[in-house]
Amino acid sequence: MLLPRHVACVMDGNGRWAAQRSLPRTAGHEAAEAAVMDVIEAARSAGVTWLSLYAFSTENWRRPAAEVDILMRLVRRAIRKHAPALHARGVRCRFLGMADPRIPQPLVRDITDLMTLTGDNRRMTLTVAFDHGGRRDIVAAARSLIRSATPADQVTEDSFAQHLPYSDTPDVDLVIRTSGEQRISNFMLWQVAYAEWVFPQVLWPDFRATHFWECLDTYRRRQRRFGDVRQSTTLTGEGHR
Amino acid sequence: MSRTTTAETTDVFGADSILRRLVGEARWGLAVTRATLLEAAHPQIGAALMENSTFLTHPWRRLRNTATSSRRILSPDPRVRDREVARLNRLHARMSGTDAQGRPYDATDPEARAWVAATLFESTVAMCRLSGETLDAGEMRRLYDEYRIFLTLIDGDNEHLPATLQEFWPYYDHVVENRLENNDAVGVILYRLLANVPAPPALRGHPLVWTVGRAVAGPLATAVIIASLPEPFCRRVALPDLPGARTLMQGAYLTAGLATRYLPESWTRVDSVMGLLDPSSATPWDTVRRKAGQAAALLRLITPAPAADDQQVVLSADRFFSEVLDQTGDGYLRWPDLAAMAREVATRLDLGEQDEERLFQAYAAWWRELQAALDGDDDGRVTRQEYAAAAASLPGAGLIKIADVLFDVTDVDDDQKIDAQEYRDLFRTAFGRDLAGDGSYSRGAFVRQFVSFMSGQEHSEAYSTLLTQA
């Protein structure tokens, strides 16, 4: 009952995980796959209906080309490997961002296929932020709003949100950022406005269902006020902005 | 039937036009296929088809364009009708020359055009008869008159088509028995087109399913067409008479007739069926197609990805040659190939005479440039080898000119930007992700992308669909 409707994960710590084991950074990305699948399943079985994962930011293109290249291959391999299972479990997959022409064509095709395949599923919506930037989404919404020629005095928070990519996505209730880092990093800026944040110390490749449940537990114990001082609530953020 | 002032402003076919009803039905495709074969056997038309048409390499595109064109000519709106007639005439005016035996042909030849109308009429009658729907004497006369109007609209007069239905049948039998021949075009349609027909856009994703299905359906379709042809023609052209073919043919027509009568109308309309074949348009088949799309996506995802696939972003010069440049599929790059590209763009954008002329001029200039640079042996055509050898150093001025004109004609509101709607008109798909961030295309970006695609340097999904869609 006191379950967050929308949980988002900033999957941090792959590089450090690999460095601790004297492995190349890419080994960390490789190990992250198991954590991703574990969290998807944990969220789904816990009854979370919206899960978002921050996989690749617009800033990540600055990483060494070889690392980016391997990362793209890993994503493609993971998609092909897990697509039937995700579909069978009723997960609708979406990719947020995806604007850069540097994303390899075969990966784009597989991502499109995955979105087509799972488009009718409703049990849980998994949004993978890939080549994503929160500010860019807001700019895109502003452009779309200007193009729609809405008079300035008719622009409200709700009407603005309608122009964001995947505008049916509800506000994020809980953000989990692993590895102890405490930054927003340009992630779904509009949607995290009222989110609760938790910062477990565990590195993402080691993050498992139990850690996820702990985070849900922390969320349940938080008092969400949405800016109000008179009453406090531990309900989900539904209906609030 | 003359074109009077009243005819200009009113619906010349009448509100209850039989032809308009039949053309809207998917089964009319059977009549068109049969008529195409009888047309191809006419020496003039056969030559024009072999020399200029892309029906062998792009049959689905051709079928869709024919359906669209017929619908426009039969439109109750005289502006739509006249515009299409003018476009068709400009298109045909560009098709003349000499065939392989040195005989001249001309796509605007009135006698040949009358034969096209004649075969379409007779095939429509045959279709109705074979699918168990009889046209009574009055209806048949009306249908014939409508075909005569059709011919008048296109040709300006209809002198070459007999005035009455009574005179028509002797004329028809005479042409079948004395004028038709067993030429290359007939052979190509019967034995190459149906055996090698490329997958419709919706089935591109599953080549295996298509190849297996075609291996069974191709010969059956050939047998059905042959069995439905007039006996004197089969004799003259020495077509095989296979046992059971007549029953199969009658079964096929009867099924089409029953389907038209008893299935929901929205299923058997020609646009629904065309929509099913072409995933880029919206029809009542959306649910079925979405399910099929999901099945195809799953199939692609679970099929092991070839390792080389990761790197394949650029088409090889050789593949680019056969998939994009060689529109007529004869293995050479000649003017008709480039003209076919210009024609496809002009049809899609429904260009007016001036714009169309500019586009053709631009393509012609590029052709001259290509010939000068690539046609090493000066035989008026560029071979695959000549192209592959020099692909990297192709001249660019002609291409830039085409891109410029293409930009101008696509940018209908002249705001120097291709917006979402204009993009959709040209490519029949929504904006791709290769678009600038503000949701429009600048001239510079448009020209750059077109030139790098056409010179085979960069792959573009949108242009591939525009120019390779079968």
Side-chain angles (χ1 to χ4, degrees), chain B residues 18 121 134-145 165:
Chain B
I18 306 180
F121 167 70
T134 41
L135 293 172
D136 62 34
E139 282 174 327
M140 203 187 287
R141 221 173 15 248
R142 255 176 57 210
L143 183 65
Y144 184 67
D145 287 341
L165 190 54

Side-chain angles (χ1 to χ4, degrees), chain A residues 42-237:
Chain A
R44 196 190 64 99
S45 51
V48 172
T49 46
W50 295 80
L51 177 69
S52 298
L53 300 176
Y54 200 4
F56 194 84
S57 74
T58 44
E59 290 78 18
N60 287 153
W61 289 108
R62 293 185 203 139
R63 292 184 183 180
E67 186 185 331
V68 171
D69 189 47
I70 290 177
L71 203 59
M72 297 289 159
R73 281 166 200 269
L74 286 175
V75 172
R76 182 162 189 233
R77 204 181 63 189
I79 287 176
R80 297 183 73 88
K81 191 165 145 196
H82 299 292
L86 288 170
H87 182 47
R89 288 173 188 169
V91 178
R92 167 170 63 167
C93 301
R94 288 168 161 186
F95 283 73
L96 180 66
M98 294 281 299
D100 201 293
R102 282 173 288 184
I103 304 172
Q105 206 56 44
L107 176 59
V108 173
R109 198 184 55 215
D110 284 353
I111 286 176
T112 316
D113 278 345
L114 181 65
M115 291 198 288
T116 310
L117 175 66
T118 61
D120 290 344
N121 296 341
R122 287 294 177 272
R123 176 131 186 217
M124 182 174 88
T125 301
L126 169 69
T127 307
V128 181
F130 192 80
D131 180 33
H132 161 77
R135 282 188 175 180
R136 189 173 66 184
D137 283 357
I138 294 175
V139 171
R143 279 182 174 150
S144 156
L145 195 72
I146 293 166
R147 267 200 299 276
S148 73
T150 314
D153 52 2
Q154 284 178 25
V155 178
T156 61
E157 288 188 15
D158 282 329
S159 72
F160 186 90
Q162 288 307 309
H163 290 267
L164 288 165
Y166 294 129
S167 56
D168 57 342
T169 310
D171 276 357
V172 177
D173 299 308
L174 169 66
V175 185
I176 302 168
R177 179 160 190 157
T178 53
S179 86
E181 295 292 339
Q182 303 190 354
R183 287 187 301 274
I184 298 180
S185 300
N186 200 12
F187 176 57
M188 296 180 94
L189 291 181
W190 183 275
Q191 293 89 341
V192 299
Y194 294 101
E196 296 291 324
W197 288 72
V198 290
F199 304 102
Q201 291 299 318
V202 57
L203 302 176
W204 180 257
D206 291 329
F207 194 82
R208 286 295 177 270
T210 45
H211 300 106
F212 186 77
W213 292 328
E214 280 168 20
C215 294
L216 290 188
D217 205 39
T218 311
Y219 172 83
R220 279 191 198 103
R221 283 183 278 112
R222 292 254 175 105
Q223 297 199 330
R224 301 189 77 191
R225 295 168 191 263
F226 302 100
D228 197 343
V229 287
R230 283 164 302 165
Q231 60 167 48
S232 63
T233 171
T234 49
L235 293 174
T236 65

